[in-house]
Each structure stands twice: as structure tokens, then as C-alpha cells.
Amino acid sequence: CRPLACAQLSKYEQPVVYFHNLKFDGPYLLNWAHDNGLQFAEEEGIPGTYTMLVTDRSVWFMGGIYNEDGKGIIIRDSLKKIPLSVAAIAKAYNTPMLKGSIDYKLYRPIGYEPTLDELRYIRNDTEIVARALKSHFDKGMNKLTAPADALEEFKHTVDFESVFVPTWWHVN
């Protein structure tokens, strides 16, 4: 982890970091964790380990990276909460900034210093998704996925048990 990013994240007890399309970024995170001596674990919170929930169809949901004292960073996929492209999120959530563009094919050697336009692009991409996520959280939608948020809201809208639990399940 870069020193500035680690310093910022260490301010929080157990920060949750979102990546929009974890399927793309996840392998880089796992390589970093492995290259830095962390071991894969099936349980969360074990010191010196990393976890990742990926289905057999390569659907990435969440994970964690835990340092030697067990303090961790939780990783989630914002695409599972907001299944839109960043450009579509900017329009749908009426953010004050739009998705820009950069030259993805430009060769950038190790040590490359990004241009001001590239930094703005990165800032806009992250801020667009952050604003959309905040609007979800402000409305109490704090589940891992959009369907889970919808189910939770639905359960509060109807008498779930009377509609979906057969009367013969109730034993008196």
C-alpha cells in the first residue's frame, strides 16, 4: 500500500474500500497481497492474511486484507450495488462532474508522473461512484448488493411472514 493511502486508511477502525468492477482490480490486489507476504485465508481477520469471495463463475464480491495485528481493510465491489458504468452513474445520479477520458493505450513507464488531466480523470471517476454510494447509504441501503438492498426494503414494506411463510410452518 502506498504510504499516503495507508496513512489515510489507518485512521479508521476497519475501512471499507470500494472498487467499481472488482473483477478487474481484484487480481491486482491479490497479487499485491501475495507479493507482500500475506497468505490466503478462508476466514476474515486473521493477522497477515487476505480473503476474497469469488464464485466459480468468476463473480467477485468482497474480500479483506489484514496486517500483522489483524487490522484490516474490507474490499467491496460497487458494481454489485450500482450496476452501471461510471459514465451512466454520473448521469443517473446527476453528479456535478462527468466521466472524462484518458488515453488508455499511452505507454506509461514505471515512475511515470500523471498529468493534471489524468489526475482529474481519476478524481472524477472515484468521486462519481463515491457520491452515488453515499446516496445509497444515506437512504439506509447498506447491504453488499443491490438485490440485497431491495429485499431488505421489501421486507419493511410488506408483512413478509404473512405473505411468504406458509401457515403450516407455524407450529403452536
Side-chain angles (χ1 to χ4, degrees):
C1 161
R2 294 183 179 260
L4 181 58
C6 286
Q8 291 296 319
L9 291 173
S10 68
K11 293 178 184 178
Y12 303 97
E13 184 61 32
Q14 192 167 37
V16 178
V17 178
Y18 281 85
F19 288 83
H20 201 66
N21 192 5
L22 188 57
K23 184 176 182 176
F24 177 82
D25 296 297
Y28 294 104
L29 293 168
L30 295 184
N31 283 338
W32 177 90
H34 184 266
D35 290 349
N36 283 276
L38 301 175
Q39 299 294 313
F40 176 77
E42 292 185 8
E43 295 181 32
E44 296 177 348
I46 299 171
T49 66
Y50 62 93
T51 62
M52 194 61 67
L53 175 59
V54 183
T55 70
D56 59 347
R57 293 185 177 196
S58 196
V59 178
W60 293 63
F61 283 94
M62 65 178 294
I65 297 174
Y66 305 94
N67 65 16
E68 294 306 322
D69 66 4
K71 189 171 181 182
I73 298 170
I74 304 302
I75 299 160
R76 293 186 176 173
D77 189 351
S78 55
L79 188 61
K80 300 298 180 289
K81 284 196 72 69
I82 308 170
L84 300 169
S85 69
V86 175
I89 291 172
K91 291 178 184 174
Y93 289 78
N94 198 27
T95 62
M97 72 287 301
L98 296 174
K99 170 137 176 99
S101 63
I102 59 172
D103 183 357
Y104 279 101
K105 295 181 180 180
L106 177 69
Y107 174 71
R108 294 175 177 90
I110 294 174
Y112 174 81
E113 293 291 327
T115 67
L116 188 55
D117 285 341
E118 290 168 330
L119 293 172
R120 281 190 193 113
Y121 169 84
I122 294 166
R123 171 65 189 233
N124 285 355
D125 260 24
T126 55
E127 190 171 340
I128 288 166
V129 176
R131 285 173 179 264
L133 285 169
K134 183 178 184 317
S135 75
H136 282 237
F137 300 145
D138 288 349
K139 294 173 185 165
M141 296 186 289
N142 53 16
K143 299 294 184 189
L144 185 61
T145 65
D149 282 331
L151 178 60
E152 187 67 20
E153 180 64 25
F154 180 72
K155 286 179 179 180
H156 294 297
T157 305
V158 300
D159 182 359
F160 190 79
E161 285 216 9
S162 68
V163 175
F164 292 100
V165 179
T167 55
W168 55 266
W169 278 15
H170 298 284
V171 177
N172 293 330

